[in-house]
Amino acid sequence: MSQTNAFGAPAADRPLHSLAIERRVPGPRDVSIEILFCGVCHSDLHTARGEWGQRTWPIVPGHEIVGRVSAVGEEVERFAVGDLAGVGCMVDSCRTCASCGEGLEQYCENGATFTYGSVEKETGRMTAGGYSSAIVVDQDFVLRISPDVDLAATAPLLCAGITTYSPLRHWNVGPDSKVGVVGLGGLGHVGVKIAAAIGAAVTLFTTSPGKADDARALGASEVVVSTDAARMKAARGTLDLIVDTVAAPHDLDPYLRSLRRDGSLVLLGAPPAPHPSPAVFALTASRRSLAGSNIGGIAETQEMLDFCAEHGVTAEVEMIAMEQIDEAYDRMLASEVKYRFVIDIGSMPSAV
Ligand SMILES: NC(=O)c1ccc[n+]([C@@H]2O[C@H](COP(=O)([O-])OP(=O)(O)OC[C@H]3O[C@@H](n4cnc5c(N)ncnc54)[C@H](OP(=O)(O)O)[C@@H]3O)[C@@H](O)[C@H]2O)c1
Ligand SMILES: [Zn+2]
Ligand SMILES: [Zn+2]
């Protein structure tokens, strides 16, 4: 075991604070990573504030991790000391079920081991995420990061990037597609960039009129303020696929009605309470589908990172120090982040 500096929530109603955690002794297949940057996902906030239910405390969030390899086990072939490395939302899975066999570890039928808040197989302790100075991960769940990219701006791709890339691929978005993105936050702004890089025409739906210019600059060809009834009506029946990244319950029907026949509305946002809809007729009227999607598999995450490096896609980031995290959560809740906070892990206070 090695003591590691971290920052975590001691309980749902308490601010995050500095703490020391134990990282496991690296095994022969493990990669030890010194963390440089960690993105701040709204899932971190949902979890740290107990919005997704009972948890084992403390919680050390963070699953958009970029760092440098500090040690490798004797069986590790894909990484060497000094390499850049990424870790996303998962650090292990059963590796034997049908989903794992298809590279869909995020749908592991025996339960994937998530980067924080899961039981670590090797130790039986809770996994702790990227709000920490170092992490030890099996090589199969470590991603390669190009040395040519902006590391801080690449960190958010490890969750926001793959969560939007995976449904765009699954639903076969291409240059002829018309794609809607709901919400211009961390996921949404990366989703706009990736869909535009694929060549799709992108419509951004937002509750924040002040984000319209940014959305166009990021690659959206249309911006619809969702409170504008006339613009919402004009959008009806126009889109092939919509990815909905909103972190709070809302009426889904206007988005379903924005789909063409056979279109799909894919829910990515995971609010703590249910949405008040859909109305059946919004689905039946044009044989539409309502679906959901969870992050993406490890191979697909590498494919996404390579795609983004090739197309120059990174997140728009605001760097924060570790101790600013609660303030960052509050600003994220107020839709004030443009468009992803990234923690400079070099600012981590010492608790060891
Ligand atoms: N499915 C998955 O695998 C997966 C992966 C990662 C995250 N998530 C979930 O996806 C959601 C979004 O994550 P994120 O990190 O992108 O969050 P975020 O940065 O806070 O963005 C959410 C956006 O939703 C819009 N929004 C509209 N009404 C809102 C409201 N009442 N409260 C909050 N947001 C509202 C805002 O955009 P406008 O200002 O443009 O309206 C906001 O910027 C979260 O629920 C998160 O847990 C799911
Ligand atoms: Zn996330
Ligand atoms: Zn499995």
Side-chain angles (χ1 to χ4, degrees):
M1 306 285 182
S2 62
Q3 291 256 302
T4 302
N5 289 316
F7 222 76
D13 55 356
R14 301 261 305 280
L16 279 73
H17 70 114
S18 172
L19 72 166
I21 56 169
E22 304 268 345
R23 290 295 186 194
R24 69 172 184 256
V25 175
R29 298 177 50 78
D30 281 338
V31 178
S32 302
I33 300 166
E34 183 195 328
I35 301 176
L36 299 171
F37 300 106
C38 184
V40 178
C41 179
H42 207 114
S43 302
D44 299 352
L45 187 165
H46 289 312
T47 308
R49 296 193 170 173
E51 294 177 359
W52 283 342
Q54 190 68 35
R55 288 276 167 177
T56 304
W57 305 95
I59 286 276
V60 175
H63 57 205
E64 295 183 337
I65 299 167
V66 167
R68 201 171 282 286
V69 175
S70 58
V72 293
E74 62 208 24
E75 291 173 26
V76 172
E77 288 168 354
R78 296 174 50 242
F79 292 91
V81 172
D83 285 355
L84 293 168
V87 180
C89 302
M90 297 180 287
V91 290
D92 207 349
S93 69
C94 86
R95 305 169 190 232
T96 57
C97 74
S99 293
C100 286
E102 289 178 58
L104 298 169
E105 301 88 357
Q106 74 277 30
Y107 304 119
C108 175
E109 287 144 43
N110 296 302
T113 307
F114 292 99
T115 304
Y116 58 83
S118 279
V119 175
E120 185 176 59
K121 279 188 209 150
E122 291 83 351
T123 62
R125 295 194 316 254
M126 299 306 285
T127 54
Y131 298 5
S132 62
S133 301
I135 192 166
V136 177
V137 181
D138 185 290
Q139 65 170 342
D140 291 344
F141 284 76
V142 180
L143 288 309
R144 290 187 311 282
I145 304 289
S146 162
D148 303 326
V149 301
D150 177 333
L151 298 181
T154 291
L157 300 179
L158 273 303
C159 175
I162 184 59
T163 301
T164 48
Y165 181 88
S166 185
L168 295 175
R169 285 295 188 220
H170 181 75
W171 274 272
N172 298 314
V173 166
D176 297 330
S177 306
K178 291 191 162 191
V179 173
V181 174
V182 188
L184 198 69
L187 265 59
H189 92 287
V190 172
V192 168
K193 285 191 178 191
I194 292 175
I198 291 171
V202 182
T203 297
L204 185 272
F205 295 93
T206 181
T207 60
S208 308
K211 293 182 182 175
D213 289 345
D214 286 351
R216 287 195 190 88
L218 295 167
S221 48
E222 300 267 351
V223 178
V224 177
V225 177
S226 51
T227 49
D228 181 337
R231 290 283 286 120
M232 287 301 286
K233 200 168 174 189
R236 282 190 183 176
T238 59
L239 300 168
D240 301 304
L241 178 78
I242 300 177
V243 291
D244 183 335
T245 73
V246 176
H250 59 283
D251 185 4
L252 303 180
D253 295 350
Y255 302 112
L256 284 168
R257 293 201 167 95
S258 299
L259 293 167
R260 288 176 169 166
R261 175 174 52 78
D262 292 322
S264 297
L265 172 62
V266 183
L267 301 183
L268 302 178
H275 296 297
S277 43
V280 171
F281 286 116
L283 292 164
T284 55
S286 288
R287 198 167 55 187
R288 299 173 177 123
S289 299
L290 177 60
S293 183
N294 191 31
I295 50 173
I298 294 298
E300 193 176 44
T301 304
Q302 189 66 61
E303 178 188 303
M304 176 279 306
L305 287 168
D306 296 346
F307 174 90
C308 288
E310 189 186 325
H311 290 82
V313 173
T314 52
E316 303 298 307
V317 306
E318 178 179 337
M319 195 75 78
I320 59 165
M322 189 67 257
E323 287 176 310
Q324 291 174 284
I325 188 67
D326 277 290
E327 182 194 326
Y329 283 173
D330 289 340
R331 284 182 55 202
M332 183 157 66
L333 266 183
S335 291
E336 273 175 21
V337 51
K338 293 189 172 180
Y339 280 93
R340 193 59 132 188
F341 290 116
V342 171
I343 304 160
D344 176 0
I345 295 296
S347 68
M348 181 76 62
S350 180
V352 171

